[in-house]
Every structure is written in C-alpha cells, then in structure tokens.
Amino acid sequence: MVFVGVHGEWGRIDVTQADLGCGQDRASIYKTKPPAPLTCYECDWRLHLVHKTHGAYELWFLRHAANAPHCEARLAGEGMAHHLLKLDLAHHARTAGWSAEYEVAAPDGSWRADVMATSPDGARQVALEAQMAAISITGIKARTDRYAAAGVEVCWFTDRKTVPWLDAVPSVRVARPEDGGSVQITAGAAGFEPEWCRDRADCDWNSGCVQGAVPCGGHGKWSAVEPFPLHRFVAAICANATRPHRLRVPSWEKGEIWRWITRRYFELEEEQVRATAWRKQVMERLATIQQRQREAKAAAEREHMAAIEALLQRQKALVKPVVEFVFHEARAYPKVGSDGIPEFAMGVPVYVRGKPYAVICPVAGRVPALRDALVPLVLFAATERERDRIAAQAAPGQRVEVLAAELPATSPVPAQREQGGLTIKQAVNRMFGLDRM
C-alpha cells in the first residue's frame, strides 16, 4: 500500500487528505468507471484507491494493480504498522499547524522521506521516518547525513524493541497500546537529573590524585523519561521545543548517544559540563603545583643528603691532620670519636687525657645553641669557607683552625660509607637525635 500517486490530469495526489492535496475529493477517483488515471510515481504502474476500516482508523491508500513489477514504493509501503505510523506522523504534524506530505524525494534521488513535515513559513523541514525494517547503523547514519547535507532535519521512528541504531541517530521507539489508546514514545527521549555536592567548592568525590579542596564538577546523569504520547512529541518537534542532542555527560556503559531533549535539560547538562571543565583545570593546576613541590622536596632532600655526605667526608679526611695537630700542641696522643654527635654540633669530638679538646667540622647552624660548651675547644674546618661559616656562629674569639686535607669527590646521593662507618640514613637519624629515641 502507498499513499501518494500521480493523476493523469491533477498531478501528484495524497489519498490521506480529504482533498487529495490538490483540491479534489476521493469520490472522484474511488471505484469510478472508467478507472481514474492513477499511476505509481516510482514504476508508472496503474493504481486504484482502496478504503478500509482498521480499528479507529479510516484507511485510504493506493494499491498496485495486478502483475505490478518490482517497485521500491510498493515495497516501502508494505506493512500495516508502517502504514498506520505514517498516518499518525502526518496527522500530528498537520495538527501542529505544519504541512505534511508522503514519500517526498530529493531532487537528485538521494533520499525519500516517509513523511516530510514543513513549517508554515517553509523555514524548516523535518523528515519523519517510520523505520520498521532492519537497517544497519552504517546505513541509517548515511541516510541521516544525506538529510543533513540537504538542510533537512530528521527523526527516525521504530516499534522494534531492540534496534542497534537507537543511540546512533536522532530516533525514538514507539509502542501502540493494545487497548487502542494513543501511540506512546517509550525510548529515545531523555531528561537530565542534576546532582551536586553540598559544598560545591570541595567535592566529596575527589579522585585522590591531588591533595586539597577540588570544586565539584557535578554528578548529574541522563535518564529515560516516562512514556508519553506521540502527538506531544511531534508537536514539540514542530514547536522546536525538543531537539536531538548528542549527550556530553558520558555514560560509563556506552559511547556516543543521541537523545531528544528540551532546552532546560540542555542547560542543566551545560552547567555540569562547564563545572567539570573547571574542576579539571583546577586539578591540573594543583597537580602541577604539588608535583613541583614534591620535586623541590626531593631535590632539597638530595641536597641535604649530599651535604651530610660531604660533611662526613670532610670529617673523615681531617682525622689524621687533626691528630697530628693536637699531638704536637698538647704533647699527648688524642683519641678521636667515631662519628659526629649532637653534643658537639654534629662535629667529631677529639679527647686529650679523657677530656674534650677539639671538634672536627661542627655544623655551623648548630653552633649557636652550644656556644658556651664549645668555647674552650678548638674547632677544626677543612676549608676557609667552612671556617668562616663556623666563626660567624661561634662565640667571639672562638678558636677555629683550618687544616689542609685531601677531600675525595662525593657522589650526589651516596649509598653507603665504607665498612665500619655510618650510612647516610644513620647519620641523619643521629643528627636529629632519632637514634636515641
């Protein structure tokens, strides 16, 4: 069954309209003798008008005469469900104040719309496609793209419970109630449910990759709307109150999703999209700052460890020259401590006859707290620069001697002193008194 044919005198006719779309009436072509000059727009085969009652529907359609050849229009028009849905789509568009024509083809034949709805001012055209037959995602996307290239909007309608392309193009699923009620939209339209943290400046769902407060990016989601009548949906399309939209708030289960939405839901999603972008910027900035802080801390720790290692190396290198110096000065053989200790500003103590006599390379920063205890002692340094640092912190007149020593090259982050000495970690623990806790 098809709805559109060609009259030998009047041209194109639409039998779903009482005036046939050309100012005539159905009686002038229904069961007339001789038969009305009606032919198929696709195959030029003779057609005749048929009238049937189907439930609440008064059906008028055209049927090919016997022995008709293969015809795309005939094949496309097969099926009562397809026929009824096209009638509903055209009727609802016309009720909304638009014109609606069946089987409207592109001038170059690249597409043919089941129902072409056109706004009163002609500014908008929407192809209402009743797609009951199986079609691939690739195929329906290609047809959608051809409509877009021609400046024609499109919505695909199907009554199939499962279709692979429902998310891939602007489309909806319909259902016809068994009790004869109005056709319902059951899938393809969506509403946005916003959700925000109570304190939008500090998100409860911080991913944990950064420290500190991170603004809420929104936790809203899209959800299917409750079924509603087809006539409301078609009217909303004509009023431009609903539009096809590729969802930007992602679904964790699926990829690209198209849904019909209203402007209010678009604005709610837009708010979350912007908040999510801002959250991402803040997190990236925090991550950069905190990474720099970690790198600076690591560099400071490396520098600190290198300074400790250099101190240990200086102290080790000065042991022999200090022993010789003290022996000649005190006329007694000195005893040198094994390591630097806090009581001597992390310097290595030197004893003569059991009493403190000198300190090898004390840490300058620790000297002020121990000035009174260090005043009677000789402080030794390995370089003039080290002597100046120690002298600047020591008591006025404090004796600080520089002894020449051959200092070995030190690695930036040494692993371990030679056997019998302290590791860097042990030296640090001792410096801070942690080995006594």
Side-chain angles (χ1 to χ4, degrees), residues 3-253:
F3 303 130
V4 176
V6 179
H7 190 279
E9 297 179 9
W10 308 329
R12 179 187 172 92
I13 63 170
D14 179 350
V15 298
T16 66
Q17 300 186 58
D19 66 352
L20 302 180
C22 62
Q24 303 298 323
D25 57 48
R26 296 190 184 106
S28 61
I29 59 172
Y30 183 58
K31 294 184 178 180
T32 59
K33 293 184 179 180
L38 302 178
T39 57
C40 175
Y41 62 82
E42 183 72 28
C43 64
D44 290 330
W45 200 256
R46 183 170 293 278
L47 302 173
H48 58 271
L49 182 62
V50 178
H51 177 233
K52 283 188 176 182
T53 301
H54 184 84
Y57 290 85
E58 290 287 329
L59 303 181
W60 293 90
F61 58 91
L62 297 167
R63 178 177 290 166
H64 284 69
N67 302 317
H70 175 85
C71 175
E72 293 295 331
R74 182 184 178 191
L75 292 176
E78 289 182 351
M80 183 59 70
H82 192 186
H83 181 72
L84 296 180
L85 181 55
K86 289 168 69 173
L87 286 175
D88 284 330
L89 294 174
H91 171 71
H92 296 326
R94 290 165 183 161
T95 301
W98 285 34
S99 64
E101 296 182 83
Y102 294 92
E103 307 301 331
V104 176
D108 61 359
S110 59
W111 48 262
R112 183 185 297 278
D114 283 338
V115 176
M116 180 63 77
T118 305
S119 61
D121 61 2
R124 291 179 62 205
Q125 282 190 304
V126 182
L128 306 175
E129 289 281 5
Q131 187 61 42
M132 306 308 205
I135 185 173
S136 68
I137 294 178
T138 302
I140 202 166
K141 280 187 172 182
R143 291 174 65 181
T144 301
D145 290 343
R146 287 196 290 271
Y147 278 123
V152 177
E153 302 169 42
V154 62
C155 182
W156 300 88
F157 298 81
T158 183
D159 63 354
R160 290 174 168 249
K161 292 184 177 179
T162 57
V163 288
W165 44 263
L166 194 65
D167 297 335
V169 293
S171 57
V172 293
R173 182 187 297 122
V174 300
R176 190 176 297 277
E178 295 181 359
D179 61 5
S182 62
V183 179
Q184 300 287 300
I185 300 293
T186 59
F192 191 77
E193 300 175 359
E195 181 181 348
W196 300 92
C197 292
R198 182 164 52 184
D199 182 0
R200 291 178 62 166
D202 188 3
C203 184
D204 297 334
W205 295 11
N206 192 342
S207 63
C209 61
V210 296
Q211 300 297 320
V214 175
C216 180
H219 312 297
K221 60 184 179 180
W222 288 99
S223 61
V225 299
E226 293 295 320
F228 62 99
L230 174 64
H231 68 83
R232 278 179 46 200
F233 178 67
V234 175
I237 291 178
C238 295
N240 210 18
T242 186
R243 301 285 294 175
H245 174 64
R246 183 186 286 110
L247 306 187
R248 293 172 293 170
V249 171
S251 166
W252 302 117
E253 294 81 17

